[in-house]
Amino acid sequence: MEVQRADERALAMPAPKAVAPWGPATDPPTPDWSAVQLPPSWVDELRLFTRLSDMGKFLRRLFGPRQAVELPADLPGRHLVPSYVLEEFHHLPNGHFSHRFSESYVLWFNIAMLGRMTRVRKHIARMFAGFRAVLDLGCGGGDLAAAVKAVGVDDVVGLDVSPYMLRQAALRHPGLRLVMGAAERTGFSEARFDGMAVCFLFHELPPSAQDAALDEIHRILAPGGRLVICEPAPEQFRDNLWQLFRKAAVTGLWWRLLARLVYEPYVAQWHERDPKALLERHGFTLLEDKSDVPFRTLVAVRS
Ligand SMILES: C[S@@+](CC[C@H](N)C(=O)[O-])C[C@H]1O[C@@H](n2cnc3c(N)ncnc32)[C@H](O)[C@@H]1O
């Protein structure tokens, strides 16, 4: 019988070579970003403490009007970077694209959030315990991806549009698989993951890119897969000081200060959207929508 013959053939064949535990060979490249030589951006070339004119340029960019990010001509994966990313988010000179500020951003983001990022990342990670494969979209320094690995998921990948951020993630979490790409064009195959974590990314995308990213997530998430999105809570931007104080005590005032000071060009447009309707339009069912200043966490399932 044909079935028997197939079984015999299988038995006669040498054992398959150890397949990497992390998934299909069709994944986009995951180099060791700590070993990739990234060209310095203009910010990295400033001699801040020895050249007064460099310090002047730096301060003008820090406190003056925002300008477009300049990508080094020889930046690997330059063609993958969408133009809307070329903003000086959070007032960072050259945005997410420098050695100097990707390192300090990862550190200071956690400090400015008063340690809450660690807690929320652990909370998100626990929602993926027992999952097969999880992608951390917009992974930055890779702490969420590492937290997901820590709950026992073997196949975890982090994706970010900035190779400087990926380098930080690789240095902080050796062995983490990291891909350079845009949220709306990841390069993964269909249904590649059964879990998707997105932390503090959507509010950095203009609405058209938010829509495109949700379409892409729908494509690479398996039916029934779980999507967890954590973004700044709208109350942090909308509530008056008294309301914030009642919700988060003195820290509420700090969250408001951050909301006022930090340059987030698309956050208002993100907060204008109704997550339930948005997710439904892109093929997800919203299971949970929880606001706990400074976070709003959405849990959805891919239909
Ligand atoms: C606010 S940080 C959050 C990083 C990380 N998720 C965390 O919780 O620490 C946003 C990250 O998203 C990345 N990013 C921004 N736009 C992106 C896009 N279109 N596609 C992929 N990553 C993007 C940035 O480079 C940055 O590392």
Side-chain angles (χ1 to χ4, degrees), residues 42-43 46 48-49 54-67 88-95 98 100-101 104 261-263:
W42 66 266
V43 194
L46 295 177
L48 290 182
F49 302 106
D54 280 7
M55 179 56 99
K57 182 175 180 187
F58 170 70
L59 292 175
R60 276 195 306 280
R61 283 292 277 258
L62 195 59
F63 297 111
R66 308 269 54 84
Q67 293 183 34
E88 293 187 315
F89 291 95
H90 319 127
H91 287 83
L92 293 178
N94 224 43
S98 71
R100 188 170 247 151
F101 284 110
S104 43
L261 291 182
V262 175
Y263 179 63

Side-chain angles (χ1 to χ4, degrees), residues 182-223:
E184 63 272 41
R185 214 175 33 248
T186 62
F188 289 103
S189 51
E190 276 173 32
R192 164 71 178 83
F193 299 96
D194 59 352
M196 187 82 63
V198 190
C199 186
F200 276 54
L201 171 70
F202 274 103
H203 75 283
E204 290 196 3
L205 310 182
S208 58
Q210 293 163 9
D211 285 308
L214 283 168
D215 285 340
E216 177 68 349
I217 293 171
H218 190 270
R219 187 185 72 78
I220 63 176
L221 199 54

Side-chain angles (χ1 to χ4, degrees), residues 61-288:
R61 283 292 277 258
L62 195 59
F63 297 111
R66 308 269 54 84
Q67 293 183 34
V69 164
E70 296 158 32
L71 298 180
D74 51 348
L75 185 76
R78 199 185 138 101
H79 63 286
L80 299 171
V81 182
S83 55
Y84 65 80
V85 176
L86 304 180
E87 289 265 5
E88 293 187 315
F89 291 95
H90 319 127
H91 287 83
L92 293 178
N94 224 43
H96 296 301
F97 292 86
S98 71
H99 289 284
R100 188 170 247 151
F101 284 110
S102 52
E103 183 174 5
S104 43
Y105 173 74
V106 171
L107 180 72
W108 282 101
F109 180 41
N110 290 333
I111 294 174
M113 296 302 286
L114 309 178
R116 305 286 169 89
M117 292 311 300
T118 310
R119 231 187 290 166
V120 82
R121 289 182 188 122
K122 280 189 181 156
H123 171 68
I124 296 170
R126 280 195 293 272
M127 290 193 236
F128 293 109
F131 276 54
R132 172 180 60 80
V134 175
L135 178 66
D136 175 7
L137 200 61
C139 65
D143 292 3
L144 175 57
V148 176
K149 275 199 99 133
V151 299
V153 182
D154 284 337
D155 185 2
V156 178
V157 188
L159 177 143
D160 203 282
V161 78
S162 163
Y164 299 94
M165 286 293 185
L166 292 173
R167 182 174 156 75
Q168 290 309 313
L171 290 169
R172 291 166 70 82
H173 306 288
L176 192 61
R177 298 191 69 230
L178 297 161
V179 164
M180 182 178 176
E184 63 272 41
R185 214 175 33 248
T186 62
F188 289 103
S189 51
E190 276 173 32
R192 164 71 178 83
F193 299 96
D194 59 352
M196 187 82 63
V198 190
C199 186
F200 276 54
L201 171 70
F202 274 103
H203 75 283
E204 290 196 3
L205 310 182
S208 58
Q210 293 163 9
D211 285 308
L214 283 168
D215 285 340
E216 177 68 349
I217 293 171
H218 190 270
R219 187 185 72 78
I220 63 176
L221 199 54
R226 178 174 295 174
L227 167 64
V228 181
I229 299 174
C230 177
E231 295 291 332
E235 293 87 340
Q236 187 185 353
F237 296 77
R238 286 184 197 152
D239 279 8
N240 64 38
L241 287 181
W242 176 240
Q243 289 169 318
L244 274 172
F245 181 77
R246 288 182 53 154
K247 278 178 191 150
V250 188
T251 56
L253 311 182
W254 173 245
W255 305 132
R256 165 50 57 85
L257 191 67
L258 281 185
R260 280 280 148 83
L261 291 182
V262 175
Y263 179 63
E264 298 283 15
Y266 304 116
V267 72
Q269 285 161 297
W270 168 249
H271 283 152
E272 268 164 23
R273 308 193 86 173
D274 170 23
K276 186 169 187 293
L278 178 66
L279 285 163
E280 265 169 20
R281 196 161 351 113
H282 289 278
F284 297 89
T285 306
L286 183 63
L287 302 179
E288 192 183 300

